[in-house]
Every structure is written in structure tokens, then in C-alpha cells.
Amino acid sequence: MSENKVTKIGVLTSGGDSPGMNAAIRAVVRTGIYNGIDVFGIVRGYQGMIEGDIYQMESKSVANIIQRGGTILKTARCKEFFTHEGRKKAYDNLQQHGINGLVIIGGDGSFRGAHIFSNEFDTPCIGLPGTIDKDIAGTDFTIGFDTAVNTAVSAIDKVRDTADAHDRLFIVEVMGRDSGYIALHSGIATGAENILIPERRTDVEDIIRALTEKHGRKKLVNIIIVAEGDEFGATELSKVITERMPDQEVRVTILGHIQRGGAPSCLDRLIASRMGYAAVECLREGRHNVFVGIVNNKMHYIPLTEAVKKKQRISEDWMRIVKILSS
Ligand code: F6P
């Protein structure tokens, strides 16, 4: 907890954008202004902090954005912020505006930067988990995951239509960096025949065995969801299946960045609004260096030092569900 009253807040988005970041910015700006705090937008994350691209926001600066994907503050991955010189420049720019509290909307890398900065320059920092990957431990939700999964689900449903028309096998690659959450959730929700995730060893022989068995009983339409971080990868898997099962028509679809865009879902707008509000409350209460999480529908404040990548354990039950329901 800090003794000093926060009177001017800077807000920024950092790392990969995620749907709902705008809703979070809106909540920070309006909660700040409601409490008599000046709020400054920092453009392109830490890059804008270093370059001094900072402007004061008003209530109307965030009008008509809750439903928009992307981020009105823009975002960047900034290497310079990981140097002391970079952070010093950033601090000097904050000083010029009198900013004495920061809200950082981003992933674990952005939180690590915030933690170092805060210790070096004694500026309270509050993180909001904004990432489609849902790979941050300590929160049930990250801003953007729900929308990304829904985008993947609607795309995979369309893929299944054409797969069905042609009796084809489709391998669909989804995002998630080294986390399998998008693959697992979208795969189960679309009735995928198999789901490959980085948290589980990929057994190609097992996949071939299952496909051969299905082929034998004329089940030719199959969808395999592959998380981008899986050891095997969609293209490699397609090569192996084509070699081993020449009769099976295989196509690969990489969903890519469409998963990052689009209007945020209702859930993402809600959690972003709640978290944005909570971030300002944290600063008002003098909390230091935590990120806001939601666990069992309650707000939680987790030290930034604990913002580690979530390593999920996938219980055998999940994979059994996939196997049984897709037979
Ligand atoms: O972290 C979000 C994410 O979309 C990951 O799922 C993906 O691996 C990465 O960012 C892609 O990054 P970039 O937009 O820099 O290509």
C-alpha cells in the first residue's frame, strides 16, 4: 500500500491486442474522472511512454468504443522498455504530465515490465489481464479469450460445412501461443474429432489409428484442432497423414489473427468493465503492483511478481470427453 494519493493516472495497452481492451480503457477513464482523477492515454504501450506520446482523456474520448475490437490507444511489443535507459525516458515523460499511477492492460510480459518499472521508479502500477491466450495464473478470465474462442467456433462451424460436403479431413490451427485453452474450448464446442495442445504429448500413431478406424466405417469427415504451440503443428500433421493415408483428402486452415479482432462478446465487455473499475479503485486505495483477476466471480488482487504463465493441467476427463463425444 502507498501513502501517496494518486491524482493522475496513465493507461496503456501493451502486447497483442485483445477484444475488450477498449471496454477496459473506457472503464478506467470514466472511473478515474468520476473520482476527480485526471486520466492520460499512453499511445502504443511502453513505446509511447518512452516517446512521450501521451494525451489527456475526457469522458467523451471513450464514447462509442465498448463494442469495438482492437484498442483505441494502439499497442506494441517494446524491447526498449526492457532496458534501464528506456524506462528512465518513460519515467521522465510521466513526470512531465504529473502521472503518479499506471494501469497496464496486457499479458504476463507487460506485467513483468510494469513490476520492474514500478520498483525502479516508485510508481504504483495495476495490471489488467488482456490476452486471448488465457495463460495468466490467478484469474478465471482474461479480457479477450471469450471473444476469440467464439470467433474460432464460428469459423470452425463453417469449415465443418465444407468438410462435410466433400468428405474431407480438416486440420484447423488456432492461436494461443504456448497455451492450449483456445484449442480445447473451441474444439469441444465444435465437436472436433481430436484436439492437439502443447500441454499434452502428441501421439501421431494414435491419431493415425483413430482415423484409420473411422475410415474403415466410412466416417470420412473429421476435424482436428491444433493449438499453434503444439509440438507437431498443423502443416506437419497434414504431411504425415497424407503420406500414411493417401485415400484421405486433407486440408489445413490456419485461423490466425481473425481470432484477435471483432466486437468483444458480452462476457468480455463485462469483465473488462469490472476490471477497469477495480484498477482505479486499487490505485485510490493505495494498492501497489498487483493485477486484477476474477476468481469465482470475486475480484482478486495478485502481486505482479506472481504473473506467471499459466501451465494448465489437462485432466484425462477432458480428453475422454473429446474421444467419446466425437465417435
Ligand atoms: O498473445 C496473443 C497472440 O495472438 C498469440 O496467440 C500469438 O501466438 C501471438 O499473439 C501472435 O503475435 P503477433 O501478432 O505479434 O504475430
Side-chain angles (χ1 to χ4, degrees), residues 2 29 37 73 83 108 130 141 156 164 172 174 176 210 241-242 250 262 269 276 309:
S2 160
V29 170
I37 296 171
L73 289 176
T83 67
D108 65 321
F141 302 104
I156 298 164
D164 189 60
V172 182
V174 296
I241 295 176
T242 309
V250 187
R269 296 179 200 194
K309 275 208 177 289

Side-chain angles (χ1 to χ4, degrees), residues 116-135:
I116 299 169
F117 179 78
S118 173
N119 279 343
E120 262 173 354
F121 296 104
D122 195 25
T123 305
C125 290
I126 307 295
L128 299 186
T131 167
I132 63 165
D133 300 336
K134 189 168 145 58
D135 58 352

Side-chain angles (χ1 to χ4, degrees), residues 16-17 77 131-133 175-177 182 228 257 260:
D17 62 310
R77 302 188 204 278
T131 167
I132 63 165
D133 300 336
M175 274 190 168
R177 205 177 286 277
I182 297 179
E228 65 174 344
H257 286 78
R260 286 239 296 261

Side-chain angles (χ1 to χ4, degrees), residues 8-13 20-42 57-59 62 65 73 101-105 126-128 143 271-281 283-284 292:
K8 292 179 196 283
I9 294 177
V11 58
L12 61 90
T13 47
M21 280 184 161
N22 279 329
I25 296 167
R26 172 179 177 269
V28 171
V29 170
R30 294 208 166 152
T31 309
I33 291 172
Y34 177 84
N35 287 293
I37 296 171
D38 292 340
V39 184
F40 292 82
I42 302 172
M57 300 182 86
E58 300 167 35
S59 189
V62 291
I65 65 165
L73 289 176
L102 277 181
V103 178
I104 296 98
I105 308 166
I126 307 295
L128 299 186
I143 298 165
I271 59 166
S273 301
R274 290 175 69 191
M275 286 178 171
Y277 164 85
V280 177
E281 288 300 301
L283 287 170
R284 276 168 29 84
V292 178

Side-chain angles (χ1 to χ4, degrees), residues 272-319:
S273 301
R274 290 175 69 191
M275 286 178 171
Y277 164 85
V280 177
E281 288 300 301
C282 278
L283 287 170
R284 276 168 29 84
E285 288 162 9
R287 278 186 208 268
H288 246 202
N289 303 347
V290 292
F291 72 94
V292 178
I294 299 179
V295 179
N296 293 334
N297 207 25
K298 295 218 164 54
M299 306 318 284
H300 276 239
Y301 308 104
I302 307 108
L304 285 173
T305 40
E306 286 174 31
V308 287
K309 275 208 177 289
K310 184 170 192 162
K311 287 273 167 262
Q312 57 172 337
R313 276 188 297 124
I314 305 296
S315 81
E316 280 309 308
D317 278 357
W318 282 86
M319 299 324 277

Side-chain angles (χ1 to χ4, degrees), residues 48-107:
M49 217 160 121
I50 291 171
E51 291 166 5
D53 200 349
I54 299 170
Y55 69 98
Q56 185 159 1
M57 300 182 86
E58 300 167 35
S59 189
K60 67 170 189 255
S61 320
V62 291
N64 199 16
I65 65 165
I66 194 169
Q67 77 283 18
R68 283 170 52 194
T71 157
I72 58 161
L73 289 176
K74 299 192 178 285
T75 184
R77 302 188 204 278
C78 176
K79 290 216 174 79
E80 202 184 342
F81 198 70
F82 284 86
T83 67
H84 176 76
E85 294 69 37
R87 292 191 295 275
K88 173 77 174 71
K89 277 191 218 162
Y91 178 69
D92 290 344
N93 287 325
L94 294 188
Q95 289 288 93
Q96 281 199 4
H97 293 275
I99 295 171
N100 52 6
L102 277 181
V103 178
I104 296 98
I105 308 166

Side-chain angles (χ1 to χ4, degrees), residues 23-259:
I25 296 167
R26 172 179 177 269
V28 171
V29 170
R30 294 208 166 152
T31 309
I33 291 172
Y34 177 84
N35 287 293
I37 296 171
D38 292 340
V39 184
F40 292 82
I42 302 172
V43 182
R44 292 187 318 285
Y46 295 129
Q47 194 65 48
M49 217 160 121
I50 291 171
E51 291 166 5
D53 200 349
I54 299 170
Y55 69 98
Q56 185 159 1
M57 300 182 86
E58 300 167 35
S59 189
K60 67 170 189 255
S61 320
V62 291
N64 199 16
I65 65 165
I66 194 169
Q67 77 283 18
R68 283 170 52 194
T71 157
I72 58 161
L73 289 176
K74 299 192 178 285
T75 184
R77 302 188 204 278
C78 176
K79 290 216 174 79
E80 202 184 342
F81 198 70
F82 284 86
T83 67
H84 176 76
E85 294 69 37
R87 292 191 295 275
K88 173 77 174 71
K89 277 191 218 162
Y91 178 69
D92 290 344
N93 287 325
L94 294 188
Q95 289 288 93
Q96 281 199 4
H97 293 275
I99 295 171
N100 52 6
L102 277 181
V103 178
I104 296 98
I105 308 166
D108 65 321
S110 309
F111 290 177
R112 269 195 300 278
H115 171 66
I116 299 169
F117 179 78
S118 173
N119 279 343
E120 262 173 354
F121 296 104
D122 195 25
T123 305
C125 290
I126 307 295
L128 299 186
T131 167
I132 63 165
D133 300 336
K134 189 168 145 58
D135 58 352
I136 297 176
T139 178
D140 293 344
F141 302 104
T142 62
I143 298 165
F145 171 75
D146 184 63
T147 308
V149 167
N150 278 297
T151 301
V153 163
S154 99
I156 298 164
D157 285 347
K158 293 183 173 89
V159 167
R160 190 176 282 284
D161 287 345
T162 174
D164 189 60
H166 285 265
D167 280 339
R168 279 174 175 161
L169 161 66
F170 268 83
I171 301 172
V172 182
E173 183 185 292
V174 296
M175 274 190 168
R177 205 177 286 277
D178 39 23
S179 157
Y181 267 111
I182 297 179
L184 196 61
H185 285 224
S186 63
I188 290 178
T190 54
E193 276 69 22
N194 211 333
I195 303 171
L196 312 188
I197 50 177
E199 295 84 352
R200 252 179 143 251
R201 201 177 65 80
T202 295
D203 184 343
V204 181
E205 291 309 319
D206 201 40
I207 296 169
I208 302 280
R209 229 182 346 264
L211 286 173
T212 309
E213 185 273 321
K214 284 175 179 152
H215 212 255
R217 58 182 162 93
K218 299 273 177 287
K219 182 180 180 345
L220 303 175
V221 183
N222 287 285
I223 305 234
I224 301 180
I225 307 296
V226 181
E228 65 174 344
D230 178 71
E231 59 190 300
F232 223 73
T235 313
E236 188 57 28
L237 181 64
S238 135
K239 268 195 215 143
V240 174
I241 295 176
T242 309
E243 271 165 30
R244 301 274 298 271
M245 304 179 68
D247 291 346
Q248 174 77 68
E249 269 210 86
V250 187
R251 294 289 186 273
V252 175
T253 300
I254 296 175
L255 295 189
H257 286 78
I258 64 161
Q259 293 159 100

